[in-house]
Amino acid sequence: MTGSAAERQAAGTPLLEVLDVRKSYGDRLVLDDVSLSVQPHDVICLIGSSGSGKSTLLRCLDLLEEIDDGVIRLDGREISDPLVDQREVRGRIGMVFQAYNLFPHLSVLDNCTLAPRRVHGLSRPEAEERARDLLATFGLVDHVDKHPDRLSGGQQQRVALVRALCTRPDLLLLDEITAALDPELVGEVLTIVRDLAERGTTMILATHEMSFAREVATSVCFLSEGRILEQGPPAEIFSEPREERTRQFLRRVLPPSG
């Protein structure tokens, strides 16, 4: 595909295309012909029971797992080819995990500047200026010299978000980022994600926070047994789901109405 990224997006080319992706671990089929299209500024929420394939899908998109079949395209270019430069692709995709995955031997500032320097070639002063600006935005400016074990879980998760954003990714993947947090810390992390959505950040997030998904998502995908069983606007999925499996899941996770 020719033309700049801006030209392709103006022509309606999705930022991300997932076509008939399959992934197995041994005899266990984890992703079963998954297809998904993501436009710039979309916020796609993946919902479903544990084991439905949400995390595996995100890991495949970030090339942490090799797919068995299908195609993944980023900005019109196939990235699922085993010969693709994975480092270059990951330079355009940021991922935040539920377990933070910060480097324990590095300070907050060094955690956030490592990828911009090593992958994007920024000088240390440039990378540090970018990181400090983001850390200040997220209320972490007083913690730049601390190591992760000196931070609360909520602070560590905010640092993980800043680290992903320091590369200025085209796409941000969030994998159950509140799952490991104490309940009182969930809100502060979701506030940051909400702000990112309002700024137009393109995101795909796996979440168990249904009210949050209803509020921020442009589209909700319900996964069951490795398939996207149903996809649509939040109002449609949460109020008038078509599939009985979706209705069963939502009855379990949503508070009773009335």
Side-chain angles (χ1 to χ4, degrees), residues 25-238:
Y25 296 116
D27 295 331
R28 184 166 66 95
L29 183 61
V30 183
L31 295 178
D32 185 6
D33 288 332
V34 169
S35 295
L36 181 66
S37 179
V38 181
Q39 297 289 341
H41 315 303
D42 275 352
V43 178
I44 309 295
C45 283
L46 309 178
I47 65 172
S49 302
S50 297
S52 60
K54 304 185 300 297
S55 294
T56 300
L57 175 57
L58 293 179
R59 291 178 62 84
C60 289
L61 298 181
D62 199 38
L63 307 186
L64 295 172
E65 300 282 355
E66 185 175 334
I67 63 175
D68 299 326
D69 199 6
V71 174
I72 302 172
R73 296 192 184 106
L74 181 65
D75 203 16
R77 175 192 173 199
E78 183 177 350
I79 62 171
S80 49
D81 186 328
L83 299 179
V84 76
D85 185 343
Q86 295 187 356
R87 180 170 167 172
E88 178 187 346
V89 172
R90 292 199 189 104
R92 299 186 59 192
I93 299 176
M95 185 160 180
V96 183
F97 304 86
Q98 60 177 281
Y100 321 138
N101 286 17
L102 299 174
F103 296 111
H105 63 291
L106 297 180
S107 69
V108 165
L109 187 61
D110 286 341
N111 263 283
C112 294
T113 58
L114 185 63
R117 291 189 293 113
R118 296 281 182 86
V119 178
H120 292 263
L122 267 65
S123 68
R124 181 178 290 274
E126 290 175 314
E128 289 189 353
E129 180 181 7
R130 182 182 296 182
R132 287 180 186 276
D133 286 345
L134 284 166
L135 289 166
T137 300
F138 293 161
L140 295 163
V141 70
D142 295 331
H143 304 288
V144 293
D145 296 321
K146 294 180 180 177
H147 284 71
D149 63 0
R150 299 276 309 280
L151 306 177
S152 71
Q155 289 167 337
Q156 290 187 60
Q157 196 57 287
R158 280 187 281 158
V159 172
L161 279 163
V162 170
R163 181 177 64 176
L165 292 171
C166 276
T167 61
R168 296 182 177 172
D170 296 317
L171 175 65
L172 186 60
L173 308 176
L174 308 177
D175 185 16
E176 303 283 9
I177 60 170
T178 61
L181 298 178
D182 293 334
E184 64 269 23
L185 300 176
V186 170
E188 70 178 48
V189 172
L190 292 183
T191 296
I192 291 173
V193 179
R194 185 180 296 108
D195 290 343
L196 291 173
E198 291 175 352
R199 295 177 195 174
T201 305
T202 308
M203 291 185 280
I204 305 176
L205 55 150
T207 183
H208 289 299
E209 303 289 338
M210 297 299 115
S211 60
F212 181 74
R214 187 195 296 262
E215 177 187 350
V216 305
T218 56
S219 182
V220 174
C221 298
F222 172 66
L223 277 75
S224 177
E225 298 180 345
R227 299 181 67 90
I228 296 180
L229 199 61
E230 187 164 0
Q231 178 179 0
E236 176 183 306
I237 298 297
F238 288 110

